[in-house]
Amino acid sequence: MQRRFYLTFFSFTLSVSTLFAQHTEYKHQLNLIDSLKVFIAKDLKLDIPADFYTKWTDSKDSMYLYVYAADAKHIAHGDTAHRSSWYYTNEDTAKAKVAQLKAKGYHTMLYRTAGTSAAELNRKLLSYPDEALAFIIIHEAVHNHIRNNEKYKGYPYVYEESLCDAVAILGMQTLVRQGRLLDAKSVSKHTRSLERCYAILNKANDKLDDTEHDALILQATNRRMMRYTRNANQFLKDRMRYEVNNAYLLRTQDYSLHYFELKKQLYHLSVTDVVKQVMKAHGPKN
């Protein structure tokens, strides 16, 4: 009994020590997140849960892994009898799934991300520069605002990701104008890199929609994406620098396809008003 008590006490003490060490190591980043949460609630008027970016992930790795499959001739989901994407926490298992899908003739993408709508802290997330961290935090706040509100159930995912990015960019620019939290040059560079990528991807999507699968278009798009992300921050490299194929375009079109139109709307409307407009035009019909 006494031995069990000491083991429990030791485990608790170790856990507290680990959390304290993490807080000390990432003090600047955690303070930035706290300030961003105030901005998100008061300025952007988004509903976020009380535990939003307060808990640390239990994952051994800091990156979440998603495998995507697409038809080899069109920008369309592959293996539709099952699903279009798979989530993994183990790199080897994810790579095995990629190999299985490639053997069936699909285009594949093993996507790595440090941020999800679960809004948990991890080492990779906190390694990013301030502008990238702010982008991710605001992006995930929009996801939570939509998904935790019953009246927005069925909001189209292709509009959701684009909206998250548009709100994040405009939110960062607002903070710069207010002279708060972020460096103006870094935000400008982040925005320029992201929007160049989205313009390239949208152009590729338009071209491939008008023709059969064209390897030359994919190769040219790949070269342009590599060129325009060469000097981007590490977050944008982690998000955008993959081989461009139909699986890649299928995944990234959720970010790029409606980004520019939604950003334009956000100059005149609140986030909630834009969500309502999209729901009315493209949401589930009663």
Side-chain angles (χ1 to χ4, degrees):
M1 181 73 178
Q2 188 177 32
R3 184 170 179 273
R4 185 183 301 171
F5 168 78
Y6 282 122
L7 285 172
T8 303
F9 178 75
F10 176 75
S11 177
F12 172 76
T13 303
L14 184 62
S15 177
V16 170
S17 299
T18 302
L19 287 173
F20 179 77
Q22 288 171 332
H23 189 278
T24 302
E25 182 181 357
Y26 298 111
K27 182 177 180 180
H28 169 77
Q29 292 91 331
L30 295 173
N31 286 339
L32 174 60
I33 290 173
D34 285 342
S35 297
L36 287 167
K37 286 159 68 173
V38 173
F39 171 74
I40 286 164
K42 290 189 174 181
D43 292 62
L44 299 181
K45 302 189 184 325
L46 300 179
D47 296 323
I48 52 176
D51 62 352
F52 186 76
Y53 281 110
T54 60
K55 299 179 297 183
W56 287 80
T57 180
D58 293 329
S59 175
K60 292 181 181 179
D61 284 321
S62 292
M63 298 292 268
Y64 305 93
L65 308 171
Y66 293 87
V67 173
Y68 292 88
D71 186 281
K73 294 185 177 180
H74 305 282
I75 306 173
H77 290 301
D79 201 19
T80 52
H82 299 90
R83 50 180 147 164
S84 59
S85 66
W86 295 259
Y87 168 67
Y88 294 96
T89 57
N90 180 276
E91 183 98 9
D92 290 337
T93 308
K95 287 180 177 178
K97 185 63 179 180
V98 167
Q100 180 190 71
L101 291 164
K102 281 186 175 180
K104 293 181 179 180
Y106 297 115
H107 281 196
T108 63
M109 176 189 186
L110 174 51
Y111 179 65
R112 299 170 177 85
T113 181
T116 72
S117 58
E120 293 180 329
L121 299 165
N122 62 67
R123 295 186 303 277
K124 180 65 175 181
L125 174 74
L126 299 181
S127 74
Y128 288 138
D130 288 358
E131 70 278 6
L133 184 56
F135 179 87
I136 295 168
I137 300 303
I138 299 172
H139 175 107
E140 300 303 343
V142 179
H143 277 310
N144 276 266
H145 179 75
I146 293 172
R147 295 179 185 185
N148 296 334
N149 196 320
E150 185 64 27
K151 63 186 176 183
Y152 301 145
K153 188 175 181 179
Y155 187 86
Y157 185 70
V158 68
Y159 282 91
E160 185 174 334
E161 289 288 10
S162 296
L163 180 65
C164 290
D165 275 8
V167 174
I169 289 295
L170 291 177
M172 292 162 65
Q173 292 173 348
T174 297
L175 287 168
V176 167
R177 286 197 300 274
Q178 294 175 352
R180 297 166 56 193
L181 303 178
L182 301 176
D183 174 71
K185 288 185 178 178
S186 297
V187 169
S188 178
K189 181 180 177 182
H190 178 99
T191 302
R192 186 168 59 254
S193 296
L194 178 134
E195 293 188 346
R196 278 177 176 170
C197 287
Y198 288 1
I200 292 167
L201 293 173
N202 288 343
K203 186 175 181 179
N205 274 283
D206 289 342
K207 285 183 176 179
L208 289 167
D209 278 346
D210 293 336
T211 64
E212 287 296 307
H213 168 67
D214 189 338
L216 292 177
I217 294 175
L218 294 178
Q219 290 168 10
T221 303
N222 188 74
R223 287 194 298 271
R224 296 187 72 195
M225 291 297 293
M226 292 299 116
R227 183 166 69 249
Y228 282 114
T229 56
R230 186 178 298 122
N231 297 316
N233 62 48
Q234 189 57 50
F235 162 71
L236 287 175
K237 288 180 178 178
D238 288 340
R239 184 193 261 200
M240 308 307 301
R241 286 177 74 87
Y242 299 85
E243 177 193 358
V244 175
N245 59 23
N246 287 344
Y248 176 92
L249 292 173
L250 188 65
R251 174 65 187 106
T252 56
Q253 71 181 9
D254 291 330
Y255 296 124
S256 68
L257 203 57
H258 300 289
Y259 169 82
F260 293 103
E261 65 183 88
L262 292 176
K263 183 184 176 187
K264 186 176 181 180
Q265 291 177 26
L266 286 164
Y267 283 121
H268 311 288
L269 299 170
S270 69
V271 178
T272 298
D273 286 338
V274 172
V275 170
K276 288 178 179 178
Q277 282 195 357
V278 171
M279 283 293 289
K280 184 177 180 180
H282 307 286
K285 306 301 180 185
N286 295 327

